[in-house]
Amino acid sequence: MNIFYNMLRPDPDVGLMMRLPRIFWEICNSCIATLSLGIGSSGGGGGEGSIFRLLLAMMLGPTALIDIFFWGPILGATTTFQTCHGGYLRGPRVCHMDMGKGVGRLVGMIQSVFGGVFYLLAAVLCWSEYWQAQRIREEEARIRARIQDFSYDH
């Protein structure tokens, strides 16, 4: 869903070519999330998918922090509902109302903050699921070791 918001956000100053790296990053996150869910549910105990959960947590964590603490404030601080031309050495500065520019920046700011919070919660969830799967695997290995120690095969 975030991919479509990035493509269709009404901001005339930020063209589609400037949005493509973020769109591709969102596609990578979606692919890893799909692998994490698909492999984790088909394997026994989710062991095979746990590495994808760790990778997803490592991808979503920095994305969330950058969205919340960098892009949200930058887009919020540069939100203006007017476009100006001229000034300095090119004659008088002329400004006119540009609702599309202001609304686009506000939508981008809201998308960055709320998307960042969602990504942060998803990263924490993936991280905890990874460590929980690790603990389960370690416990199963201990149980197998105990069974082998107490088995009597001569």
Side-chain angles (χ1 to χ4, degrees), residues 62-77:
T63 302
L65 295 176
I66 289 170
D67 280 355
I68 294 170
F69 296 113
F70 183 75
W71 287 117
I74 291 290
L75 291 171

Side-chain angles (χ1 to χ4, degrees), residues 4-60:
F4 297 113
Y5 288 146
N6 274 325
M7 286 192 313
L8 302 176
R9 188 176 67 227
D11 192 353
D13 290 340
V14 182
L16 184 62
M17 292 304 290
M18 294 175 69
R19 297 177 192 182
L20 280 180
R22 179 58 187 243
I23 291 169
F24 288 136
W25 181 250
E26 299 285 344
I27 291 171
C28 289
N29 285 337
S30 300
C31 291
I32 297 297
T34 304
L35 283 173
S36 171
L37 292 175
I39 292 175
S41 63
S42 67
E48 297 87 1
S50 66
I51 193 68
F52 288 111
R53 288 189 189 101
L54 176 64
L55 180 61
L56 187 62
M58 293 174 69
M59 289 172 71
L60 291 179

